[in-house]
Amino acid sequence: MSAQMIRLCAALLLTAVASLALAQQGTEPVALQLKRTDTPGSTGIQYRITLTNDASVDTPVFAPVIDAPSHWLKNIKIAPRETTIPAGRAQNFTVTYDVVPDAPPDQGETLMVYFPMGDALPLHQLEIAVGFGGTVPALPELLEPKIDMVEFRETFEAGSTGNGIVFSVHNSTAYPVEELSLRPHMPSQYMLLDRIEPLGLTLDPGETADITAYFSVREDVAEDVEDSVEFHFDTADGPDLTLGAYRLIALIEAAEEAETVAECNSAVEAGGDAGGGVTVDLGGFTGRAGFTWEMYNVKDQMNVTVGGVSQTTGCVSHSGTIVLDVPPGAGTAKVEVVPNCEGTTGTQWTFTFECPLASDVTADGSGNALDQGAQAGATGAAIGASQGTQAAGPGAATTGLGAPVQPAPPMLPPIQHSGATVAESDNNDDIASAMPIGLGDAATGAIDPRRDADFYRVNIPKQGELTIAFPRVPTGVNITFRVLRPDGGVISGWHTAPAAGVAFDHKVDISAAGTVMIEVRDAYNDADSPTSYVMQTSFVPTQDHGEPNDDLAQATPLAWNVETRANILPKGDADHYVVTAPRQGRMTVLFTESGPETAMTFRVLEASGAVLRTWQTAASSGAIHQAWVDLPKPGRYVIEVRDSYNDARSATPYVIVAALDQTPDNGEPNDTMSEATPITIGQVLDASILPKSDGDMYQIDLPHQGELSVDLPRSAPETNLTFRVLDAVGGVVRNWQTAPATGAPYRGWADIATPGRYIIEMRDAYNDAASPVPYRFETAFRPTQDWAEPNGTASTATPVQLDQSYAAHILPKADGDMYRVTVDHPGVLGIDVTASGTETNMTVRVMRADETVVRNWSTAPSTGAPFDTSADLPAAGAYLVEFRDAYNDARSADPYQFALHHTASVDVLEPNDVSGQATAIGIGQSIVAAIFPKGDHDLYSVTASRAGDLVVTLTDSPDALNMVVQVERPDGTVVQGWRGATIAGDLFEVDISISAPGVHILRFADAYSDARSPEGYAFRVGLR
């Protein structure tokens, strides 16, 4: 349960102080109200307001605003007029005003002070209610009127402990204040006073100190309630003081249900469809732990996180045990159960967390079974170090943070006082005559006469902290010194004792080995003494064996899992380390020790100097710090280490260790098409999306048209995998297909229209997640039976034979298949579609070789249904038969099947559709021909030797035709209009009178030109 620490400012007498703390956006603004009484005619009345920025960002530049009616309060000012407050810093504001002499007694005015900072931070305000009353007491320390009551609000959690209210008390009187104590008005309903520290405080004039009241909150709070506590100050002795009273309005929030916490070897849990999990208190354990599961027959997934490193069982059934490396400082482990990871129900599972490991290791970090030969390599492997089907490669080693760490070498000892004392030489007044002394020795000298200067020469063995102390100084001399290079350049400027005759010491950072000069004088060159001073030197060497390493070019090699000790010294120092990653992975950088003055921060650069990940900073000075960076590919990387603000240094070293959890991704770098990793059909691969925005590209050669499937049975719990398929030049074959949820398995596919090279691109769906935990994927390919592709155009149409069966596919969507068939007679082309893909609604049309339509689209009655249709071919020659899905919006990996059949027309006299092509026949000759296709006309020329009657007899007719005949002259003039059968299939005989011998044209047709038949009609012509 979290504890709250609240800081307020209280003032004694002359200066009233209000304190406001800025919080992050989204929190409630703070409003304080101060009440006071001023005497009419008072001038120069002041309030000091302290504004502390507790947010994580600097405030914008802002100007405080005072809102007042200004009837009786005049010359109202606030300073500064404009400012910005850095994160974690405070700013004082002073409000000044006068009260006019004729301000009416027992009335008042209100000043409102606003701090507008835009949308970034809430608007805080201070209300000063001023009343006009009696005379100001004569004592000068009582000029500041009383602050009656300050109210403040804060939220606490039920059951929380260690809450604190901190009062910063400033004594602005001219007297010491003794036995000052903070008195809370107790009891309250829910707030329980634990202690107040300190009690009986003594404050000298101008001194400031903190008094803290520590509280606990009762646990038995069923719902959110309010409580209040009032505070006041009192003293045992001293003058009467004007002290503020304070009221805390506490909002008590009911505690949330506590998370389940277990201990090593008691972390045993069982469950079902609801899932579960537990936090394991490791109790300081480090070393090899074990995680054993039993998932019976229904697949579940369990994820375990220790020390920032996650491992997963994968989506598995049955049982297994994996090894977990617990690093120093891990504290807890978290176990999460994802039940029914394949969408099933009715699961049962159980798990045990062992520390130390007792069971045999039977699975890797993804639930894969290990044979006995693999167990030795698997135990102790960080995640990804030995997983998957790809070999780790020569020289690959476990470098994860859980692996053994080689400690840093012993620290170099400091050089303390040797006990030896060297007396000042007769003449050491300049650099050239500087007196040599040993490091750690003491020297005696005298500032005599006035303006005397003493120079000492000291050899420094390496970078470090040089302490120069003056334990004995003659009365009247105010010692000062500085440190120079032999050429007179300043290493560290003048450092002066606080007063004449006062002993002091000061530390100076020495950046490199060499000789330094110490120049000693009186601070103002206006004093002297024959009495000697004593100067002592001591030295703390840095532990930084890599210096100089202040830039990229001088970076110190850093081995994996090897502690390195170094210093941030002097201020502004930067240390660069170069690591070599044998493959992609997640690098953890851990500072196990830090100088108390420095807040460690680091960033990671590529070998070129480009920033891979920017600064990551410890929570506070001296804190242990651990953070990670994803390394996208094998290679050299640089870790740059600094103090977070470059304003601190420390002779106490920090200790840094770097570890790499390698992924099994042998393909990196493969972020571009030119770098795509070659794979084969059916190959199983393990790889990682790391870092964020990583893309993995794979190159696969496909031998035929077909369906490419991509199976993702395992994914890291942080990533939501998506993939797409491109052709060899980057064109999209099928766009992104995405798993239904983060960490979920998924299977997708893409239709491959033609053989060739293709690219599979794998990413996180939003490019905002990464994980060293590998995903696994496998490709499969289902070729079509379509041997003829590509055949989507007339020029690529596939030749086929009549009366043979063929199989092909509509794949991908919008695919069209064209076939070329040749017939040697006009007739009927029968098209039988005997099978169809289950997703497609087949349609077909027939065209001439020039793509003019003979028969337009004819479509199956429903999706997947077989059907048959036909087309009339008006002449011998080549025709095109085109197959598609009816709406071009479906495809199928299942084939359609078809066959073509041809029924030839009996009409051998075609073409005879126009007068110039009329077929010559003789009187008495029997003719057989066909009206085919619809709209067909057959013309015959007959020569009559004399005038008379031409007798046309129809001797046979197909049932579908209503035959008629017309007689014309060769120039097209009609001799006798249409005559013939009145009912389809009827026969007839007609007489046509001709007035002279000569050539006449007989035109036969169907009566309405809406029928046709490949079967023949028969007729003969007589003359009488």
Side-chain angles (χ1 to χ4, degrees), residues 557-588:
L558 184 65
W560 300 115
N561 292 85
V562 175
E563 286 186 342
T564 296
R565 188 177 281 116
N567 295 73
I568 298 297
L569 188 145
K571 288 181 183 179
D573 181 30
D575 294 336
H576 292 76
Y577 302 94
V578 61
V579 294
T580 300
R583 67 171 66 187
Q584 176 199 67
R586 176 162 288 178
M587 177 175 70
T588 300

PDB file of all heavy atoms in Angstrom, residues 557-588:
ATOM      1  N   PRO A 557      36.252  -1.242 -24.401  1.00  0.00           N
ATOM      2  CA  PRO A 557      35.532  -2.514 -24.633  1.00  0.00           C
ATOM      3  C   PRO A 557      34.929  -3.034 -23.323  1.00  0.00           C
ATOM      4  O   PRO A 557      35.575  -3.012 -22.272  1.00  0.00           O
ATOM      5  CB  PRO A 557      36.620  -3.446 -25.159  1.00  0.00           C
ATOM      6  CG  PRO A 557      37.674  -2.529 -25.716  1.00  0.00           C
ATOM      7  CD  PRO A 557      37.657  -1.314 -24.830  1.00  0.00           C
ATOM      8  N   LEU A 558      33.679  -3.484 -23.406  1.00  0.00           N
ATOM      9  CA  LEU A 558      32.956  -3.999 -22.244  1.00  0.00           C
ATOM     10  C   LEU A 558      32.474  -5.405 -22.581  1.00  0.00           C
ATOM     11  O   LEU A 558      31.726  -5.596 -23.545  1.00  0.00           O
ATOM     12  CB  LEU A 558      31.774  -3.089 -21.909  1.00  0.00           C
ATOM     13  CG  LEU A 558      30.960  -3.434 -20.658  1.00  0.00           C
ATOM     14  CD1 LEU A 558      31.811  -3.279 -19.406  1.00  0.00           C
ATOM     15  CD2 LEU A 558      29.726  -2.540 -20.566  1.00  0.00           C
ATOM     16  N   ALA A 559      32.928  -6.380 -21.807  1.00  0.00           N
ATOM     17  CA  ALA A 559      32.533  -7.770 -22.041  1.00  0.00           C
ATOM     18  C   ALA A 559      31.183  -8.036 -21.385  1.00  0.00           C
ATOM     19  O   ALA A 559      30.819  -7.417 -20.382  1.00  0.00           O
ATOM     20  CB  ALA A 559      33.593  -8.717 -21.494  1.00  0.00           C
ATOM     21  N   TRP A 560      30.439  -8.972 -21.948  1.00  0.00           N
ATOM     22  CA  TRP A 560      29.135  -9.333 -21.392  1.00  0.00           C
ATOM     23  C   TRP A 560      29.308 -10.008 -20.034  1.00  0.00           C
ATOM     24  O   TRP A 560      30.203 -10.834 -19.836  1.00  0.00           O
ATOM     25  CB  TRP A 560      28.377 -10.268 -22.331  1.00  0.00           C
ATOM     26  CG  TRP A 560      28.088  -9.708 -23.688  1.00  0.00           C
ATOM     27  CD1 TRP A 560      28.581 -10.147 -24.873  1.00  0.00           C
ATOM     28  CD2 TRP A 560      27.229  -8.608 -23.992  1.00  0.00           C
ATOM     29  NE1 TRP A 560      28.095  -9.386 -25.907  1.00  0.00           N
ATOM     30  CE2 TRP A 560      27.253  -8.431 -25.396  1.00  0.00           C
ATOM     31  CE3 TRP A 560      26.449  -7.754 -23.216  1.00  0.00           C
ATOM     32  CZ2 TRP A 560      26.534  -7.440 -26.042  1.00  0.00           C
ATOM     33  CZ3 TRP A 560      25.717  -6.761 -23.853  1.00  0.00           C
ATOM     34  CH2 TRP A 560      25.763  -6.604 -25.235  1.00  0.00           C
ATOM     35  N   ASN A 561      28.432  -9.647 -19.110  1.00  0.00           N
ATOM     36  CA  ASN A 561      28.363 -10.266 -17.787  1.00  0.00           C
ATOM     37  C   ASN A 561      29.666 -10.128 -17.009  1.00  0.00           C
ATOM     38  O   ASN A 561      30.025 -11.001 -16.221  1.00  0.00           O
ATOM     39  CB  ASN A 561      27.963 -11.751 -17.888  1.00  0.00           C
ATOM     40  CG  ASN A 561      26.542 -11.920 -18.363  1.00  0.00           C
ATOM     41  OD1 ASN A 561      26.310 -11.920 -19.564  1.00  0.00           O
ATOM     42  ND2 ASN A 561      25.599 -12.034 -17.453  1.00  0.00           N
ATOM     43  N   VAL A 562      30.366  -9.019 -17.240  1.00  0.00           N
ATOM     44  CA  VAL A 562      31.588  -8.722 -16.485  1.00  0.00           C
ATOM     45  C   VAL A 562      31.409  -7.353 -15.841  1.00  0.00           C
ATOM     46  O   VAL A 562      31.145  -6.365 -16.523  1.00  0.00           O
ATOM     47  CB  VAL A 562      32.830  -8.720 -17.399  1.00  0.00           C
ATOM     48  CG1 VAL A 562      34.064  -8.282 -16.611  1.00  0.00           C
ATOM     49  CG2 VAL A 562      33.043 -10.094 -18.002  1.00  0.00           C
ATOM     50  N   GLU A 563      31.519  -7.300 -14.512  1.00  0.00           N
ATOM     51  CA  GLU A 563      31.389  -6.024 -13.819  1.00  0.00           C
ATOM     52  C   GLU A 563      32.578  -5.129 -14.127  1.00  0.00           C
ATOM     53  O   GLU A 563      33.726  -5.580 -14.146  1.00  0.00           O
ATOM     54  CB  GLU A 563      31.306  -6.246 -12.305  1.00  0.00           C
ATOM     55  CG  GLU A 563      29.982  -6.787 -11.827  1.00  0.00           C
ATOM     56  CD  GLU A 563      29.901  -6.839 -10.316  1.00  0.00           C
ATOM     57  OE1 GLU A 563      30.969  -6.789  -9.656  1.00  0.00           O
ATOM     58  OE2 GLU A 563      28.780  -6.929  -9.793  1.00  0.00           O
ATOM     59  N   THR A 564      32.280  -3.863 -14.351  1.00  0.00           N
ATOM     60  CA  THR A 564      33.322  -2.857 -14.565  1.00  0.00           C
ATOM     61  C   THR A 564      33.085  -1.715 -13.593  1.00  0.00           C
ATOM     62  O   THR A 564      31.955  -1.232 -13.465  1.00  0.00           O
ATOM     63  CB  THR A 564      33.296  -2.351 -16.014  1.00  0.00           C
ATOM     64  OG1 THR A 564      33.607  -3.444 -16.892  1.00  0.00           O
ATOM     65  CG2 THR A 564      34.321  -1.244 -16.217  1.00  0.00           C
ATOM     66  N   ARG A 565      34.146  -1.300 -12.899  1.00  0.00           N
ATOM     67  CA  ARG A 565      34.040  -0.238 -11.912  1.00  0.00           C
ATOM     68  C   ARG A 565      34.668   1.023 -12.496  1.00  0.00           C
ATOM     69  O   ARG A 565      35.770   0.976 -13.066  1.00  0.00           O
ATOM     70  CB  ARG A 565      34.744  -0.667 -10.626  1.00  0.00           C
ATOM     71  CG  ARG A 565      34.536   0.267  -9.457  1.00  0.00           C
ATOM     72  CD  ARG A 565      35.210  -0.253  -8.206  1.00  0.00           C
ATOM     73  NE  ARG A 565      34.432  -1.301  -7.546  1.00  0.00           N
ATOM     74  CZ  ARG A 565      34.812  -2.548  -7.402  1.00  0.00           C
ATOM     75  NH1 ARG A 565      35.961  -2.944  -7.897  1.00  0.00           N
ATOM     76  NH2 ARG A 565      34.041  -3.423  -6.778  1.00  0.00           N
ATOM     77  N   ALA A 566      33.978   2.158 -12.376  1.00  0.00           N
ATOM     78  CA  ALA A 566      34.483   3.415 -12.928  1.00  0.00           C
ATOM     79  C   ALA A 566      33.860   4.570 -12.154  1.00  0.00           C
ATOM     80  O   ALA A 566      33.011   4.369 -11.282  1.00  0.00           O
ATOM     81  CB  ALA A 566      34.174   3.518 -14.408  1.00  0.00           C
ATOM     82  N   ASN A 567      34.280   5.787 -12.501  1.00  0.00           N
ATOM     83  CA  ASN A 567      33.821   6.986 -11.782  1.00  0.00           C
ATOM     84  C   ASN A 567      33.318   8.033 -12.757  1.00  0.00           C
ATOM     85  O   ASN A 567      33.833   8.151 -13.872  1.00  0.00           O
ATOM     86  CB  ASN A 567      34.962   7.616 -10.976  1.00  0.00           C
ATOM     87  CG  ASN A 567      35.450   6.734  -9.866  1.00  0.00           C
ATOM     88  OD1 ASN A 567      36.121   5.745 -10.114  1.00  0.00           O
ATOM     89  ND2 ASN A 567      35.148   7.102  -8.629  1.00  0.00           N
ATOM     90  N   ILE A 568      32.300   8.774 -12.323  1.00  0.00           N
ATOM     91  CA  ILE A 568      31.947  10.033 -12.982  1.00  0.00           C
ATOM     92  C   ILE A 568      32.733  11.111 -12.261  1.00  0.00           C
ATOM     93  O   ILE A 568      32.367  11.572 -11.170  1.00  0.00           O
ATOM     94  CB  ILE A 568      30.433  10.303 -12.915  1.00  0.00           C
ATOM     95  CG1 ILE A 568      29.665   9.213 -13.653  1.00  0.00           C
ATOM     96  CG2 ILE A 568      30.105  11.668 -13.499  1.00  0.00           C
ATOM     97  CD1 ILE A 568      29.960   9.117 -15.141  1.00  0.00           C
ATOM     98  N   LEU A 569      33.857  11.499 -12.858  1.00  0.00           N
ATOM     99  CA  LEU A 569      34.747  12.453 -12.226  1.00  0.00           C
ATOM    100  C   LEU A 569      35.691  12.961 -13.295  1.00  0.00           C
ATOM    101  O   LEU A 569      36.294  12.131 -14.015  1.00  0.00           O
ATOM    102  CB  LEU A 569      35.509  11.780 -11.082  1.00  0.00           C
ATOM    103  CG  LEU A 569      36.366  12.671 -10.180  1.00  0.00           C
ATOM    104  CD1 LEU A 569      36.346  12.172  -8.744  1.00  0.00           C
ATOM    105  CD2 LEU A 569      37.799  12.720 -10.692  1.00  0.00           C
ATOM    106  N   PRO A 570      35.794  14.298 -13.478  1.00  0.00           N
ATOM    107  CA  PRO A 570      35.123  15.379 -12.754  1.00  0.00           C
ATOM    108  C   PRO A 570      33.687  15.589 -13.238  1.00  0.00           C
ATOM    109  O   PRO A 570      33.176  14.778 -14.022  1.00  0.00           O
ATOM    110  CB  PRO A 570      35.998  16.594 -13.096  1.00  0.00           C
ATOM    111  CG  PRO A 570      36.501  16.289 -14.465  1.00  0.00           C
ATOM    112  CD  PRO A 570      36.716  14.802 -14.491  1.00  0.00           C
ATOM    113  N   LYS A 571      33.039  16.694 -12.780  1.00  0.00           N
ATOM    114  CA  LYS A 571      31.715  17.036 -13.292  1.00  0.00           C
ATOM    115  C   LYS A 571      31.773  17.123 -14.805  1.00  0.00           C
ATOM    116  O   LYS A 571      32.743  17.613 -15.381  1.00  0.00           O
ATOM    117  CB  LYS A 571      31.234  18.369 -12.723  1.00  0.00           C
ATOM    118  CG  LYS A 571      30.845  18.337 -11.255  1.00  0.00           C
ATOM    119  CD  LYS A 571      30.360  19.706 -10.801  1.00  0.00           C
ATOM    120  CE  LYS A 571      30.024  19.704  -9.305  1.00  0.00           C
ATOM    121  NZ  LYS A 571      29.576  21.038  -8.842  1.00  0.00           N
ATOM    122  N   GLY A 572      30.709  16.636 -15.440  1.00  0.00           N
ATOM    123  CA  GLY A 572      30.666  16.658 -16.899  1.00  0.00           C
ATOM    124  C   GLY A 572      31.354  15.481 -17.543  1.00  0.00           C
ATOM    125  O   GLY A 572      31.356  15.362 -18.782  1.00  0.00           O
ATOM    126  N   ASP A 573      31.959  14.595 -16.735  1.00  0.00           N
ATOM    127  CA  ASP A 573      32.646  13.430 -17.284  1.00  0.00           C
ATOM    128  C   ASP A 573      31.646  12.515 -17.987  1.00  0.00           C
ATOM    129  O   ASP A 573      30.492  12.362 -17.551  1.00  0.00           O
ATOM    130  CB  ASP A 573      33.347  12.674 -16.156  1.00  0.00           C
ATOM    131  CG  ASP A 573      34.116  11.462 -16.658  1.00  0.00           C
ATOM    132  OD1 ASP A 573      34.583  11.484 -17.808  1.00  0.00           O
ATOM    133  OD2 ASP A 573      34.243  10.489 -15.892  1.00  0.00           O
ATOM    134  N   ALA A 574      32.090  11.912 -19.088  1.00  0.00           N
ATOM    135  CA  ALA A 574      31.292  10.911 -19.805  1.00  0.00           C
ATOM    136  C   ALA A 574      32.166   9.689 -20.031  1.00  0.00           C
ATOM    137  O   ALA A 574      33.342   9.817 -20.396  1.00  0.00           O
ATOM    138  CB  ALA A 574      30.792  11.461 -21.136  1.00  0.00           C
ATOM    139  N   ASP A 575      31.608   8.514 -19.783  1.00  0.00           N
ATOM    140  CA  ASP A 575      32.310   7.256 -20.036  1.00  0.00           C
ATOM    141  C   ASP A 575      31.609   6.525 -21.161  1.00  0.00           C
ATOM    142  O   ASP A 575      30.376   6.363 -21.138  1.00  0.00           O
ATOM    143  CB  ASP A 575      32.331   6.389 -18.775  1.00  0.00           C
ATOM    144  CG  ASP A 575      33.156   7.012 -17.649  1.00  0.00           C
ATOM    145  OD1 ASP A 575      34.043   7.815 -17.956  1.00  0.00           O
ATOM    146  OD2 ASP A 575      32.895   6.678 -16.481  1.00  0.00           O
ATOM    147  N   HIS A 576      32.381   6.084 -22.159  1.00  0.00           N
ATOM    148  CA  HIS A 576      31.836   5.348 -23.294  1.00  0.00           C
ATOM    149  C   HIS A 576      32.363   3.918 -23.266  1.00  0.00           C
ATOM    150  O   HIS A 576      33.565   3.693 -23.067  1.00  0.00           O
ATOM    151  CB  HIS A 576      32.231   6.007 -24.620  1.00  0.00           C
ATOM    152  CG  HIS A 576      31.586   7.348 -24.841  1.00  0.00           C
ATOM    153  ND1 HIS A 576      32.002   8.489 -24.206  1.00  0.00           N
ATOM    154  CD2 HIS A 576      30.541   7.707 -25.640  1.00  0.00           C
ATOM    155  CE1 HIS A 576      31.256   9.511 -24.595  1.00  0.00           C
ATOM    156  NE2 HIS A 576      30.357   9.074 -25.463  1.00  0.00           N
ATOM    157  N   TYR A 577      31.463   2.963 -23.456  1.00  0.00           N
ATOM    158  CA  TYR A 577      31.817   1.548 -23.498  1.00  0.00           C
ATOM    159  C   TYR A 577      31.285   0.952 -24.797  1.00  0.00           C
ATOM    160  O   TYR A 577      30.156   1.262 -25.208  1.00  0.00           O
ATOM    161  CB  TYR A 577      31.220   0.793 -22.309  1.00  0.00           C
ATOM    162  CG  TYR A 577      31.645   1.346 -20.963  1.00  0.00           C
ATOM    163  CD1 TYR A 577      30.867   2.280 -20.293  1.00  0.00           C
ATOM    164  CD2 TYR A 577      32.833   0.926 -20.374  1.00  0.00           C
ATOM    165  CE1 TYR A 577      31.260   2.798 -19.066  1.00  0.00           C
ATOM    166  CE2 TYR A 577      33.231   1.430 -19.140  1.00  0.00           C
ATOM    167  CZ  TYR A 577      32.433   2.370 -18.488  1.00  0.00           C
ATOM    168  OH  TYR A 577      32.825   2.868 -17.285  1.00  0.00           O
ATOM    169  N   VAL A 578      32.076   0.101 -25.415  1.00  0.00           N
ATOM    170  CA  VAL A 578      31.643  -0.552 -26.646  1.00  0.00           C
ATOM    171  C   VAL A 578      31.407  -2.030 -26.361  1.00  0.00           C
ATOM    172  O   VAL A 578      32.217  -2.692 -25.718  1.00  0.00           O
ATOM    173  CB  VAL A 578      32.671  -0.352 -27.782  1.00  0.00           C
ATOM    174  CG1 VAL A 578      34.016  -0.953 -27.434  1.00  0.00           C
ATOM    175  CG2 VAL A 578      32.135  -0.944 -29.090  1.00  0.00           C
ATOM    176  N   VAL A 579      30.227  -2.531 -26.781  1.00  0.00           N
ATOM    177  CA  VAL A 579      29.895  -3.954 -26.661  1.00  0.00           C
ATOM    178  C   VAL A 579      29.687  -4.505 -28.060  1.00  0.00           C
ATOM    179  O   VAL A 579      29.304  -3.773 -28.988  1.00  0.00           O
ATOM    180  CB  VAL A 579      28.633  -4.174 -25.801  1.00  0.00           C
ATOM    181  CG1 VAL A 579      28.878  -3.772 -24.366  1.00  0.00           C
ATOM    182  CG2 VAL A 579      27.446  -3.421 -26.381  1.00  0.00           C
ATOM    183  N   THR A 580      29.943  -5.785 -28.216  1.00  0.00           N
ATOM    184  CA  THR A 580      29.756  -6.446 -29.506  1.00  0.00           C
ATOM    185  C   THR A 580      28.679  -7.514 -29.347  1.00  0.00           C
ATOM    186  O   THR A 580      28.840  -8.448 -28.557  1.00  0.00           O
ATOM    187  CB  THR A 580      31.066  -7.080 -29.998  1.00  0.00           C
ATOM    188  OG1 THR A 580      32.052  -6.054 -30.131  1.00  0.00           O
ATOM    189  CG2 THR A 580      30.850  -7.750 -31.350  1.00  0.00           C
ATOM    190  N   ALA A 581      27.586  -7.337 -30.091  1.00  0.00           N
ATOM    191  CA  ALA A 581      26.473  -8.284 -30.029  1.00  0.00           C
ATOM    192  C   ALA A 581      26.637  -9.321 -31.131  1.00  0.00           C
ATOM    193  O   ALA A 581      26.700  -8.955 -32.312  1.00  0.00           O
ATOM    194  CB  ALA A 581      25.142  -7.551 -30.190  1.00  0.00           C
ATOM    195  N   PRO A 582      26.725 -10.604 -30.772  1.00  0.00           N
ATOM    196  CA  PRO A 582      26.859 -11.628 -31.821  1.00  0.00           C
ATOM    197  C   PRO A 582      25.587 -11.804 -32.636  1.00  0.00           C
ATOM    198  O   PRO A 582      25.619 -12.361 -33.717  1.00  0.00           O
ATOM    199  CB  PRO A 582      27.196 -12.896 -31.033  1.00  0.00           C
ATOM    200  CG  PRO A 582      26.626 -12.648 -29.666  1.00  0.00           C
ATOM    201  CD  PRO A 582      26.739 -11.180 -29.417  1.00  0.00           C
ATOM    202  N   ARG A 583      24.449 -11.343 -32.084  1.00  0.00           N
ATOM    203  CA  ARG A 583      23.188 -11.400 -32.801  1.00  0.00           C
ATOM    204  C   ARG A 583      22.219 -10.418 -32.157  1.00  0.00           C
ATOM    205  O   ARG A 583      22.527  -9.770 -31.162  1.00  0.00           O
ATOM    206  CB  ARG A 583      22.606 -12.812 -32.811  1.00  0.00           C
ATOM    207  CG  ARG A 583      22.173 -13.309 -31.453  1.00  0.00           C
ATOM    208  CD  ARG A 583      21.403 -14.615 -31.563  1.00  0.00           C
ATOM    209  NE  ARG A 583      22.246 -15.695 -32.033  1.00  0.00           N
ATOM    210  CZ  ARG A 583      21.792 -16.904 -32.334  1.00  0.00           C
ATOM    211  NH1 ARG A 583      20.525 -17.169 -32.223  1.00  0.00           N
ATOM    212  NH2 ARG A 583      22.608 -17.862 -32.734  1.00  0.00           N
ATOM    213  N   GLN A 584      21.057 -10.294 -32.775  1.00  0.00           N
ATOM    214  CA  GLN A 584      20.005  -9.433 -32.235  1.00  0.00           C
ATOM    215  C   GLN A 584      19.637  -9.888 -30.820  1.00  0.00           C
ATOM    216  O   GLN A 584      19.701 -11.062 -30.493  1.00  0.00           O
ATOM    217  CB  GLN A 584      18.793  -9.530 -33.159  1.00  0.00           C
ATOM    218  CG  GLN A 584      17.566  -8.770 -32.720  1.00  0.00           C
ATOM    219  CD  GLN A 584      16.331  -9.295 -33.421  1.00  0.00           C
ATOM    220  OE1 GLN A 584      15.906 -10.428 -33.201  1.00  0.00           O
ATOM    221  NE2 GLN A 584      15.750  -8.488 -34.289  1.00  0.00           N
ATOM    222  N   GLY A 585      19.207  -8.922 -29.972  1.00  0.00           N
ATOM    223  CA  GLY A 585      18.783  -9.308 -28.632  1.00  0.00           C
ATOM    224  C   GLY A 585      18.430  -8.096 -27.792  1.00  0.00           C
ATOM    225  O   GLY A 585      18.481  -6.952 -28.244  1.00  0.00           O
ATOM    226  N   ARG A 586      18.058  -8.351 -26.557  1.00  0.00           N
ATOM    227  CA  ARG A 586      17.728  -7.295 -25.599  1.00  0.00           C
ATOM    228  C   ARG A 586      18.889  -7.149 -24.612  1.00  0.00           C
ATOM    229  O   ARG A 586      19.215  -8.081 -23.875  1.00  0.00           O
ATOM    230  CB  ARG A 586      16.437  -7.605 -24.861  1.00  0.00           C
ATOM    231  CG  ARG A 586      16.076  -6.585 -23.775  1.00  0.00           C
ATOM    232  CD  ARG A 586      14.622  -6.690 -23.389  1.00  0.00           C
ATOM    233  NE  ARG A 586      13.761  -6.165 -24.450  1.00  0.00           N
ATOM    234  CZ  ARG A 586      12.427  -6.168 -24.389  1.00  0.00           C
ATOM    235  NH1 ARG A 586      11.812  -6.649 -23.316  1.00  0.00           N
ATOM    236  NH2 ARG A 586      11.715  -5.685 -25.390  1.00  0.00           N
ATOM    237  N   MET A 587      19.506  -5.985 -24.626  1.00  0.00           N
ATOM    238  CA  MET A 587      20.633  -5.709 -23.739  1.00  0.00           C
ATOM    239  C   MET A 587      20.112  -5.073 -22.453  1.00  0.00           C
ATOM    240  O   MET A 587      19.375  -4.083 -22.491  1.00  0.00           O
ATOM    241  CB  MET A 587      21.629  -4.776 -24.418  1.00  0.00           C
ATOM    242  CG  MET A 587      22.799  -4.374 -23.514  1.00  0.00           C
ATOM    243  SD  MET A 587      24.070  -3.390 -24.341  1.00  0.00           S
ATOM    244  CE  MET A 587      23.188  -1.851 -24.595  1.00  0.00           C
ATOM    245  N   THR A 588      20.500  -5.633 -21.323  1.00  0.00           N
ATOM    246  CA  THR A 588      20.202  -5.061 -20.020  1.00  0.00           C
ATOM    247  C   THR A 588      21.459  -4.423 -19.468  1.00  0.00           C
ATOM    248  O   THR A 588      22.531  -5.038 -19.468  1.00  0.00           O
ATOM    249  CB  THR A 588      19.692  -6.135 -19.055  1.00  0.00           C
ATOM    250  OG1 THR A 588      18.499  -6.725 -19.589  1.00  0.00           O
ATOM    251  CG2 THR A 588      19.370  -5.538 -17.695  1.00  0.00           C
TER     252      THR A 588
END
